[in-house]
Amino acid sequence: MSSADQVRPISPARLHSTGGSPEGSCPTCEEPDETGAVVAIHGSVVDVRFPGPLPPLFRRLDPLEGPEVPLEVHSHLDPHTVRTIALAPTRGMWRGLRIRDRGRPLEIPVGPELLGRAVDLLGRPVDGSGPVKARQSRPLRSPAPALARRTPTRGLLETGIKAIDLLAPLERGGKAGLFGGAGVGKTVLVMELIHNVATMHGGVSLFCGIGERCREAEELLRSLRESGILARTALVLGQMNEPPGARFRVGLAALTLAESFRDGGNEDVLLLIDNIFRFVQAGTEVAGVMGRIPSEMGYQSTLASDLAELQERIASTSGGSITSVQAVYVPADDLTDPAAVHIFGHLSSSLVLSRKKAAQGLYPAVDPLASGSNRLCAEGVGPRHERVARQVRRTLAAYEDLKDLIAMLGLEELSKEDRTTVHRARRLERFLTQPFFGTEPFTGRPGRKVSREETLDGCEAILQGAADGLPEGALSMIGSLEEAFPS
């Protein structure tokens, strides 16, 4: 059964849970349910006893009174008891509290009514803009598209960011990762991608915040509203202050919404996830509170399958495509961390952000030697692009090899050829920096979008020596190379 077959109308009785009607529900419209009682509460873990048949795994349960705390069944302890994970704080719950099985898994409202809104994993509004009046819903968990429904990738997705379009081009319908430690610019780059792709390509943008700061979500929402692209963007948020169960499922909620736009509206969807490592971290927390034995370095034993369940649903079909850009926090800047290694295996493009570049003020702090893309070949980007990208990498790699020699002997002791390589490599490093639209209020520099052809022209000119007479600073934080030359 395809994900499109799982769409169902939202009944009037359930509209109030998504903000679709005033408080209260219609008793005559309630769905049949089975009730149980809470027998134990351990933080986010709630054990519920049922007198009759147990609800299956991943079924949604709800308290009949007290706080609104959705529960998801994660295991069967015995023939009459299930263990659930709470998706909201359990404060106010008590032993003996009656729990209802509504006969459905976790669901999120879908449809164009979600555009311009910020919601949680169950589709409840968090932006203070009133109720979400969606008329359909989908379950969060659904199978990935069958191979027969998938289509090849649809060419390149130009971003207007020089370092990305040159060294790690994104493919439409592919998956890209932004790898980096704390404070190297992952979130800023994600926000810029939303702005540029929305203004250059149209389509629908979907931002998924997993375990990030509430302040960042508020800043993003305000920035999208001020730039006028919020009307084609939806935000699904499971923030840092929420329980691990909510953070673990919010990625599936955002992906379900993306699938509804792809399948129901034949849209090309840009799905931005910040931060996919927090998804892994939330899964580790859920496994810990469930008492499961961890694997190496403390991660859950189901790390590979948890990631695959999310990543394999990001695909293109004949109706539309989902292109995903995922920020990936790298613990201690260690790219051999198991979480980073497992995420690498699902990606078609990888952008590694360097702390050394950030410390030098080279933004975006993309490491040109560690980043790459499956599309960076003559068949994927064209012979000219491949040739220029290889020459840029070769020049920057030679400069990297010469840095120790320069530190010991000085630049003057190098051969003339090596000095020329160093001069051009330093100009390439600065040319690949770029002012962002999202940082205009802080830097005072107007943002720049640069086409792929302009990027190739600029890099080719620098490699051929056209910028040798310019000071290095003239190439820093500009758009096309023409801006570096005095008018």
Side-chain angles (χ1 to χ4, degrees), residues 349-422:
S349 302
S350 56
L351 282 158
V352 178
L353 303 185
S354 164
R355 192 168 300 280
K356 290 182 179 179
K357 300 282 185 187
Q360 295 170 2
L362 301 174
Y363 290 103
V366 176
D367 187 334
L369 304 181
S371 304
S373 170
N374 294 344
R375 299 287 298 186
L376 196 56
C377 58
E379 294 78 12
V381 296
R384 184 197 178 205
H385 187 153
E386 182 197 28
R387 173 176 52 80
V388 173
R390 289 189 183 279
Q391 289 177 346
V392 168
R393 278 191 172 156
R394 190 179 301 116
T395 302
L396 294 174
Y399 175 42
E400 195 68 29
D401 292 338
L402 291 169
K403 281 185 177 178
D404 289 339
L405 193 59
I406 295 170
M408 289 186 294
L409 303 178
L411 184 62
E412 294 76 12
E413 298 300 320
L414 299 180
S415 66
K416 182 178 179 181
E417 182 181 353
D418 286 344
R419 285 201 301 271
T420 300
T421 299
V422 170

Side-chain angles (χ1 to χ4, degrees), residues 20-56:
S21 68
E23 283 299 321
S25 59
C26 173
T28 62
C29 298
E30 286 290 354
E31 299 172 1
D33 59 73
E34 298 291 338
T35 59
V38 173
V39 294
I41 303 173
H42 306 284
S44 296
V45 178
V46 181
D47 294 344
V48 183
R49 186 174 182 84
F50 285 87
L54 293 183

Side-chain angles (χ1 to χ4, degrees), residues 234-461:
L235 293 85
V236 184
L237 307 174
Q239 298 303 98
M240 189 178 287
N241 62 325
E242 299 191 30
R247 288 182 273 119
F248 189 47
R249 290 302 185 217
V250 70
L252 297 181
L255 185 52
T256 301
L257 186 55
E259 289 172 335
S260 74
F261 287 119
R262 180 196 65 193
D263 299 335
N266 295 336
E267 296 273 10
D268 290 326
V269 184
L270 176 66
L271 174 63
L272 298 114
I273 303 177
D274 188 8
N275 184 304
I276 197 68
F277 175 79
R278 304 299 180 195
F279 168 79
V280 174
Q281 195 174 48
T284 303
E285 294 179 45
V286 168
V289 298
M290 293 292 291
R292 295 168 183 158
I293 298 175
S295 62
E296 186 181 7
M297 296 186 68
Y299 290 107
Q300 69 269 38
S301 57
T302 56
L303 171 60
S305 59
D306 288 345
L307 271 172
E309 180 184 12
L310 177 71
Q311 300 282 5
E312 291 305 307
R313 288 171 60 183
I314 301 173
S316 298
T317 64
S318 57
S321 66
I322 300 177
T323 304
S324 177
V325 179
Q326 308 168 14
V328 186
Y329 169 72
V330 181
D333 293 341
D334 180 15
L335 290 173
T336 64
D337 185 89
V341 170
H342 278 84
I343 294 169
F344 260 121
H346 292 278
L347 304 177
S348 55
S349 302
S350 56
L351 282 158
V352 178
L353 303 185
S354 164
R355 192 168 300 280
K356 290 182 179 179
K357 300 282 185 187
Q360 295 170 2
L362 301 174
Y363 290 103
V366 176
D367 187 334
L369 304 181
S371 304
S373 170
N374 294 344
R375 299 287 298 186
L376 196 56
C377 58
E379 294 78 12
V381 296
R384 184 197 178 205
H385 187 153
E386 182 197 28
R387 173 176 52 80
V388 173
R390 289 189 183 279
Q391 289 177 346
V392 168
R393 278 191 172 156
R394 190 179 301 116
T395 302
L396 294 174
Y399 175 42
E400 195 68 29
D401 292 338
L402 291 169
K403 281 185 177 178
D404 289 339
L405 193 59
I406 295 170
M408 289 186 294
L409 303 178
L411 184 62
E412 294 76 12
E413 298 300 320
L414 299 180
S415 66
K416 182 178 179 181
E417 182 181 353
D418 286 344
R419 285 201 301 271
T420 300
T421 299
V422 170
H423 285 306
R424 292 177 182 174
R426 290 177 61 87
R427 282 160 175 76
L428 283 170
E429 281 185 333
R430 281 145 184 81
F431 176 66
L432 292 177
T433 63
Q434 188 169 340
F436 284 169
F437 292 93
T439 59
E440 283 182 12
F442 313 106
T443 64
R445 295 174 180 265
R448 293 284 192 276
K449 286 196 298 260
V450 185
S451 69
R452 187 163 65 106
E453 287 302 314
E454 288 177 321
T455 300
L456 294 177
D457 291 342
C459 290
E460 202 166 34

Side-chain angles (χ1 to χ4, degrees), residues 12-331:
R14 296 170 57 246
L15 274 175
H16 79 280
S17 66
T18 62
S21 68
E23 283 299 321
S25 59
C26 173
T28 62
C29 298
E30 286 290 354
E31 299 172 1
D33 59 73
E34 298 291 338
T35 59
V38 173
V39 294
I41 303 173
H42 306 284
S44 296
V45 178
V46 181
D47 294 344
V48 183
R49 186 174 182 84
F50 285 87
L54 293 183
L57 296 181
F58 310 118
R59 178 68 61 81
R60 173 178 173 170
L61 311 178
D62 290 286
L64 281 172
E65 52 186 324
E68 185 181 348
V69 183
L71 307 173
E72 185 183 35
V73 178
H74 272 247
S75 67
H76 293 168
L77 299 182
D78 59 48
H80 294 288
T81 310
V82 297
R83 175 155 288 175
T84 69
I85 291 293
L87 305 182
T90 56
R91 181 178 302 170
M93 299 182 70
W94 62 89
R95 291 179 62 184
L97 175 65
R98 289 190 303 154
I99 301 295
R100 170 171 51 202
D101 172 14
R102 292 199 174 186
R104 297 289 298 176
L106 295 175
E107 294 178 324
I108 184 172
V110 297
E113 296 84 0
L114 274 293
L115 291 175
R117 304 302 305 273
V119 299
D120 66 5
L121 81 159
L122 298 177
R124 297 172 296 194
V126 296
D127 54 7
S129 298
V132 176
K133 299 180 180 179
R135 296 299 172 185
Q136 293 180 325
S137 66
R138 284 191 181 206
L140 267 58
R141 296 171 57 86
S142 62
L147 289 177
R149 291 186 61 222
R150 296 178 182 241
T151 58
T153 55
R154 304 178 175 188
L156 296 180
L157 181 71
E158 193 170 311
T159 66
I161 300 174
K162 291 181 286 188
I164 296 178
D165 290 340
L166 175 69
L167 301 169
L170 308 186
E171 59 180 356
R172 193 181 297 271
K175 296 184 278 284
L178 303 177
F179 291 83
V184 295
K186 297 186 299 298
T187 300
V188 173
L189 195 52
V190 165
M191 293 170 64
E192 191 71 6
L193 283 168
I194 293 178
H195 178 277
N196 287 7
V197 173
T199 55
M200 293 172 68
H201 300 280
V204 172
S205 296
L206 213 70
F207 176 83
C208 175
I210 306 179
E212 290 301 292
R213 303 167 186 86
C214 297
R215 168 186 57 81
E216 293 176 341
E218 190 276 331
E219 289 175 354
L220 174 61
L221 185 62
R222 187 174 65 249
S223 173
L224 294 174
R225 186 177 289 118
E226 292 173 352
S227 61
I229 59 177
L230 182 60
R232 296 292 292 169
T233 307
L235 293 85
V236 184
L237 307 174
Q239 298 303 98
M240 189 178 287
N241 62 325
E242 299 191 30
R247 288 182 273 119
F248 189 47
R249 290 302 185 217
V250 70
L252 297 181
L255 185 52
T256 301
L257 186 55
E259 289 172 335
S260 74
F261 287 119
R262 180 196 65 193
D263 299 335
N266 295 336
E267 296 273 10
D268 290 326
V269 184
L270 176 66
L271 174 63
L272 298 114
I273 303 177
D274 188 8
N275 184 304
I276 197 68
F277 175 79
R278 304 299 180 195
F279 168 79
V280 174
Q281 195 174 48
T284 303
E285 294 179 45
V286 168
V289 298
M290 293 292 291
R292 295 168 183 158
I293 298 175
S295 62
E296 186 181 7
M297 296 186 68
Y299 290 107
Q300 69 269 38
S301 57
T302 56
L303 171 60
S305 59
D306 288 345
L307 271 172
E309 180 184 12
L310 177 71
Q311 300 282 5
E312 291 305 307
R313 288 171 60 183
I314 301 173
S316 298
T317 64
S318 57
S321 66
I322 300 177
T323 304
S324 177
V325 179
Q326 308 168 14
V328 186
Y329 169 72
V330 181

